[in-house]
Amino acid sequence: MSGAFIVFEGIDGSGKSTLCRRIAEVLVSKGMAVETTAEPTHQGIGAIIRSGSAGPVSQETEALLFVADRNDHTERIVESVSQGNIVLCDRYFASTVAYQSSGLDGRAVDAEWLLSINSRFIDRPDMVVLLDIDPEKGLGRVDSRGEEVSKFEDPEFLRRVRSCYLALAERFGFRVVDASRSADEVFEEVMSVIGEVL
Ligand code: ADP
Ligand code: TYD
């Protein structure tokens, strides 16, 4: 059985982590070797990003930190896929392009520069699934999760993130799934879509 690298993208509350867990459970129950992972990671540069210990940095520097984390993460993913695992990854290069170009606090970074610093990652995934949802609906779900709200969870900002994601989907052939439907409906469609690369 050969491995595969599948990425899930979408704004906060689109359902990525819930879906990754559920897909992993089902694939494992069918006897497949599956690994779930996410960015920012929880080690090395990813842990620095999450802890905020890099201090107040510019948007460009923040983008470079996400990319540095991705660089180390990609080495681990490539190794895992080469061993025959199906790697399900919650966020990848499109998150940096969509979030860092969308002007949080009015400080937008040029999308083409963000793509250029991600050039070595663009062709890595076998498939990118974009869970598309209106930010109000996505944030409603996040609220009911009862976790602390991050600086990225602002509806106006997430509207821009969503349009950038849709433009990237068009340009790079991501598979767009309507994530506003029930968890079961989204799951069924995504299972059918990823079946093409499994
Ligand atoms: P993300 O990882 O994209 O931020 P989550 O998977 O954490 O999103 O989902 C956010 C919340 O919405 C969770 O409480 C989850 O149980 C719930 N949820 C996920 N998918 C759906 C869905 N299709 N319909 C309703 N609620 C959902
Ligand atoms: P998130 O997926 O919400 O992680 P968790 O649920 O484990 O906290 O990611 C945290 C935030 O980081 C999210 O709001 C999007 C943002 N982010 C970027 O702005 N750029 C990136 O390159 C990545 C990977 C994430």
Side-chain angles (χ1 to χ4, degrees), residues 142-182:
V142 173
D143 279 349
S144 60
R145 205 164 53 180
E147 286 172 10
E148 199 183 323
V149 172
S150 91
K151 66 176 179 176
F152 295 113
E153 291 170 356
D154 163 62
E156 261 316 304
F157 169 68
L158 289 180
R159 247 184 284 289
R160 296 195 292 277
V161 175
R162 181 191 192 188
S163 9
C164 183
Y165 264 139
L166 289 169
L168 290 171
E170 181 86 22
R171 182 161 165 185
F172 296 105
F174 302 167
R175 307 298 295 262
V176 183
V177 169
D178 173 6
S180 66
R181 296 166 299 163
S182 75

Side-chain angles (χ1 to χ4, degrees), residues 2 12 30 40 77 87-88 96 116 120 129-130 161 165 177 181 188 198:
S2 62
D12 305 72
K30 291 182 176 175
I77 292 169
V87 176
L88 306 176
T96 306
S116 74
R120 62 196 316 231
V129 177
L130 172 60
V161 175
Y165 264 139
V177 169
R181 296 166 299 163
E188 293 302 335
L198 295 181

